[in-house]
Amino acid sequence: QAQLVESGGGLVQPGGSLRLSCQASGLILRPYAIGWFRQAPGKERKEREGVACMDGGRASTEFYADSVKGRATITRDNGANRIYLQINEMTPNDTGVYYCAVGTTGATAQRVCQWEFGIDYWGTGTTVTVPS
């Protein structure tokens, strides 16, 4: 069965950097769109924000939410079936549960992040806290 498992969450001081990993198993990651989503404290799953996404095509087009644009980078290692998220200059607004996701429908990174379009698999999440 396909599974996604996040790791790397924890306490990050304001101004510090975050690096998350997501290990995929039971599927081949290479051709698929990938994304990282964030559920802030007190928010419902419906309010989950698409932080960073990447197309599965050869262009590997990236999309970033305004809240992290210029600070975040999504990458992948297709050979290792892993997804990464780097966020620099963390603020308390970056606090939340981070989920990785994979979509197999060929949707663009923007559609994946903004509409959760075509997402087939979700990780169980990892908690990140930035104190105020």
Side-chain angles (χ1 to χ4, degrees):
Q1 298 292 334
Q3 294 186 55
L4 303 175
V5 181
E6 302 93 341
S7 62
L11 182 67
V12 181
Q13 296 298 322
S17 295
L18 173 74
R19 184 168 176 82
L20 300 178
S21 298
C22 173
Q23 180 67 59
S25 61
L27 75 153
I28 300 174
L29 192 61
R30 179 181 297 276
Y32 300 142
I34 58 173
W36 287 94
F37 294 79
R38 179 172 66 199
Q39 185 173 348
K43 300 294 185 179
E44 300 178 354
R45 289 185 179 181
K46 297 177 182 178
E47 301 174 280
R48 185 165 50 195
E49 178 184 33
V51 173
C53 296
M54 178 184 288
D55 292 345
R58 61 181 298 171
S60 296
T61 302
E62 300 163 40
F63 178 88
Y64 298 97
D66 289 341
S67 59
V68 301
K69 193 171 299 182
R71 299 188 294 121
T73 304
I74 183 171
T75 55
R76 69 164 88 208
D77 184 338
N78 287 329
N81 247 20
R82 283 195 289 269
I83 307 165
Y84 303 96
L85 176 67
Q86 176 87 25
I87 303 180
N88 300 320
E89 298 296 325
M90 294 278 284
T91 78
N93 289 332
D94 293 315
T95 292
V97 179
Y98 286 72
Y99 302 86
C100 63
V102 175
T104 65
T105 66
T108 65
Q110 181 174 356
R111 292 183 186 274
V112 172
C113 258
Q114 293 189 328
W115 303 102
E116 298 186 5
F117 189 89
I119 294 176
D120 300 297
Y121 307 106
W122 290 92
T124 55
T126 184
T127 300
V128 176
T129 301
V130 185
S132 59

